[in-house]
Amino acid sequence: MSLKLSVIGTGYLGATHAACMASLGFEVIGVDVDPAKIDLLSQGKVPFYEPDLEDLLAEQIKSGRLKFSKNISDIADCDVHFICVGTPQVKNGIAADLTYVNAALESVAPIIKAGSLVVGKSTVPVGTAARLRDRLIEVNPKTDLAWNPEFLREGFAVEDTLRPNRLVVGTNSDQAEATLKKVYAQNLAEGTPWVRADLPTSELVKVAANSFLATKISFINAMAEICEAAGGDVTVLAKAIGYDPRIGNRFLQAGIGFGGGCLPKDIRAFMARAEELGAQQALEFLKEIDSINLRARQRIIELVRKDLVDDLNGKKVAILGAAFKPDSDDVRDSPALDIAAQLQAAGAIVTVHDPKAIANAQKRFPALKFADSIDDTFKDAEIVLHLTEWKIYRELDPAKMKSLVKSSIMIDGRNALDRSAWRAAGWKFRALGVSDNSQIK
Ligand code: UDX
């Protein structure tokens, strides 16, 4: 008989996991403490922008395999319960806030049936899973808890969930592993690598992976600083080092750095946990990774100042992008929005465009001006900043855009535009990590 699954927490991670598991043929029920979210999901609507998710979700609801409920007791007869709630940064520090994870465990522990398995997917500080497992067994001795970290990227959530590049399962129990092998039978048949670990290692895999990715980005942004100082071009440098397969060319895109709901808070929570464990020295470098990342936001503001002769007051600045990355409407810790807000605070008249993230950006920064059309954003601008590399911005016609602005200066904060095309159309074009006198145009 096929397993019945529950998903606790229906944000980016949970909603995607629920829809994808249903598409594999499982009966799935998703629960969340936010009734508005459940109402939307039940109608087949996704409360955020994620390519392909809404179609998949609507299709699975129609099939009858996927349901959403406000009532936690509806999950009681499920065999496997995935905890997918958020672990944001605490308000007054750098650690992870475990309120939602703890609450999720407390809500499922007393009601689930004997023999069922709770599986944590949220990103948590190492040691959390063992503590939650102890608590679960104290309340409901005939159950078990395993950890199965999630590596999905926003913008590719469905693809990453259906075709992950590896599956990591933290458990000391062969039975729990066998249950999860049933859940992921299709991935296993397709040859997805399967890594069994103990609970702490499985928790560490996730934060180690995110720390590595953050390090790669900050490394190339450190090289960008050096290129600017030495008269070089970081895009050429990245391309050249990336041909070495030990280095690889991905995640070497220099620019205004990383943001979002994961990398920044995960590296900070990792440092906080290392300190609790007395191992803070091992992660000292992450402090530097964080500062290089935040420094990139200042460096682009310096570039703007350089071109507007220091005085931003009353200057019209057009900003392309508000989301922390393309194909997402997520503005959590978005470098683009942070830069927009800082320029406005310095007296500039800032207009921001984004194809999907304006509603979220407006909630966070109601005082910023937003435009629905790219043309309106460019109109009379004295400088344009490209801060989130949406495809539509790469497809702009530089000659046409030049006719709209007051002064044709483009700063590419993502090194993603075709700089020779913009220069050929008469734009003064600058980018982070590319010195003014770099010979490569
Ligand atoms: C990340 C991890 O990739 C994913 O495995 C984990 O599960 C959650 O955190 P996500 O937050 O969706 O995923 O974004 P990601 O694609 O990793 O990008 C993070 C940030 O880094 C973005 O702001 C992006 O613009 C920036 N970035 C990425 C760069 O600045 N340069 C790069 O080369 C790559």
Side-chain angles (χ1 to χ4, degrees), residues 86-151:
T87 50
Q89 188 172 330
V90 291
K91 296 245 166 356
N92 53 356
I94 60 165
D97 181 353
L98 295 178
T99 313
Y100 308 109
V101 170
N102 293 338
L105 193 276
E106 290 302 327
S107 68
V108 298
I111 61 165
I112 58 178
K113 67 182 181 189
S116 58
L117 179 66
V118 175
V119 181
K121 288 191 86 63
S122 310
T123 304
V124 290
V126 60
T128 306
R131 173 175 64 74
L132 295 179
R133 184 173 180 274
D134 288 350
R135 173 67 186 150
L136 176 69
I137 288 166
E138 182 185 317
V139 178
N140 198 334
K142 292 203 172 113
T143 60
D144 196 4
L145 180 140
W147 215 259
N148 169 220
E150 181 57 58
F151 305 100

Side-chain angles (χ1 to χ4, degrees), residues 7 9-10 29-45 47 61 67-71:
V7 173
T10 56
I29 178 150
V31 289
D32 199 287
V33 291
D34 179 351
K37 215 182 256 177
I38 293 298
D39 285 338
L40 272 177
L41 290 166
S42 304
Q43 295 160 34
K45 296 199 180 102
I61 288 179
K67 291 196 173 65
F68 291 94
S69 168
K70 297 171 194 168
N71 194 349

Side-chain angles (χ1 to χ4, degrees), residues 176-399:
E177 184 184 22
T179 303
L180 280 164
K181 280 193 167 169
K182 277 190 206 156
V183 172
Y184 295 118
Q186 185 163 322
N187 299 117
L188 287 171
E190 286 164 2
T192 307
W194 178 268
V195 182
R196 172 156 164 195
D198 50 34
L199 284 178
T201 307
S202 66
E203 294 165 303
L204 285 170
V205 169
K206 174 62 190 275
V207 280
N210 276 357
S211 298
F212 192 86
L213 294 172
T215 301
K216 236 182 151 182
I217 299 168
S218 278
F219 172 82
I220 203 64
N221 283 334
M223 293 306 109
E225 292 185 33
I226 298 291
C227 283
E228 280 165 20
D233 181 337
V234 74
T235 62
V236 179
L237 182 144
K239 189 164 134 192
I241 63 171
Y243 281 123
D244 182 335
R246 294 169 303 173
I247 296 173
N249 58 10
R250 298 183 66 187
F251 264 67
L252 282 184
Q253 186 87 17
I256 55 172
F258 58 83
C262 291
L263 296 192
K265 65 113 177 144
D266 286 354
I267 63 168
R268 292 173 196 150
F270 198 13
M271 285 186 269
R273 184 64 184 134
E275 186 157 4
E276 283 170 9
L277 293 168
Q280 62 268 38
Q281 225 180 347
L283 297 187
E284 277 289 318
F285 75 98
L286 287 180
K287 244 187 235 164
E288 200 49 46
I289 299 305
D290 205 5
S291 354
I292 294 169
N293 190 52
L294 295 174
R295 206 152 66 220
R297 303 177 189 187
Q298 300 316 314
R299 286 172 36 236
I300 199 162
I301 291 171
E302 278 160 29
L303 259 189
V304 174
R305 284 192 186 279
K306 215 160 133 189
D307 272 311
L308 289 183
V309 205
D310 254 5
D311 188 10
L312 282 168
N313 214 17
K315 295 282 166 28
K316 291 191 99 168
V317 179
I319 300 226
L320 300 178
F324 84 102
K325 69 174 201 181
D327 297 315
S328 167
D329 65 355
D330 194 346
V331 298
R332 285 177 292 171
D333 206 344
S334 164
L337 258 192
D338 186 11
I339 291 160
Q342 288 196 48
L343 289 171
Q344 192 186 45
I349 302 167
V350 179
T351 307
V352 182
H353 178 270
D354 191 286
K356 295 284 176 196
I358 288 185
N360 285 340
Q362 227 156 7
K363 272 184 231 150
R364 203 153 284 221
F365 289 103
L368 275 173
K369 190 171 151 227
F370 296 92
D372 288 329
S373 92
I374 300 183
D375 285 7
D376 288 348
T377 313
F378 271 69
K379 198 159 183 341
D380 298 330
E382 288 163 89
I383 194 160
V384 183
L385 273 69
H386 173 245
L387 300 185
T388 311
E389 67 277 35
W390 287 94
K391 186 162 170 266
I392 46 165
Y393 301 146
R394 288 198 293 282
E395 290 167 347
L396 290 173
D397 173 0

Side-chain angles (χ1 to χ4, degrees), residues 307-308 315-316 318 378-384 401-410 426-428:
D307 272 311
L308 289 183
K315 295 282 166 28
K316 291 191 99 168
F378 271 69
K379 198 159 183 341
D380 298 330
E382 288 163 89
I383 194 160
V384 183
M401 301 325 284
K402 191 168 184 287
S403 67
L404 298 171
V405 294
K406 185 166 162 198
S407 169
S408 47
I409 307 169
M410 169 64 84
W427 285 76
K428 183 169 170 190

